[in-house]
Amino acid sequence: MTSNTATGPASSRRVLLIVILALLSFLKLLYAVPAEYYGADGSTYFQIARQVYEGHGLRTSVSVYHQGLKSLPAPTTIYPLWPLVLGYAGRVLGLDRAAHLVPELLYLLDLLLLYALANRLMAAWSRDDDPRIVPWIPLDLGHVAVLLLGLNLVFFRYSSL
């Protein structure tokens, strides 16, 4: 039974995952956010990423809410991971291109990781080696989880801004 699972159903499940990810990628391309629009939150991170891109480190040129910064640009510690990733990716790809490409790639990476996690959980709960939900369809819990999160409007939208 393990040789069947490794060749037939496992490969058809991979093909189904590729089809689902291709469909979601196509939808993301159709949803493309205009180049000049990042939103309020995205613009805050973008201007910090621009400082990283230019080699000034984690600095901000905007005094947000209660900060009351006296001189700008000023050092900031506002959630540093995303501005650092975007700034350094911008050095390779160009900052504007990275601001549109990196979130899309991270969206797909999130979905792949969710697929692996869902199937790992299904394997832990299930007693047989076949993680398919219905034996004659190559659909497993990972596919359902990818579709649910991939088509979630909030996740879909904010992974593009």
Side-chain angles (χ1 to χ4, degrees), residues 17 21 24 106-122 140-152 155:
L17 177 64
L21 291 176
L24 291 172
L106 291 176
Y107 169 81
L108 290 175
L109 179 64
D110 286 343
L111 294 177
L112 283 172
L113 291 173
L114 177 66
Y115 178 79
L117 176 67
N119 281 342
R120 174 73 61 119
L121 289 173
M122 183 71 174
D140 56 35
L141 183 63
H143 295 116
V144 173
V146 165
L147 281 170
L148 286 175
L149 183 64
L151 293 174
N152 179 297
F155 183 69

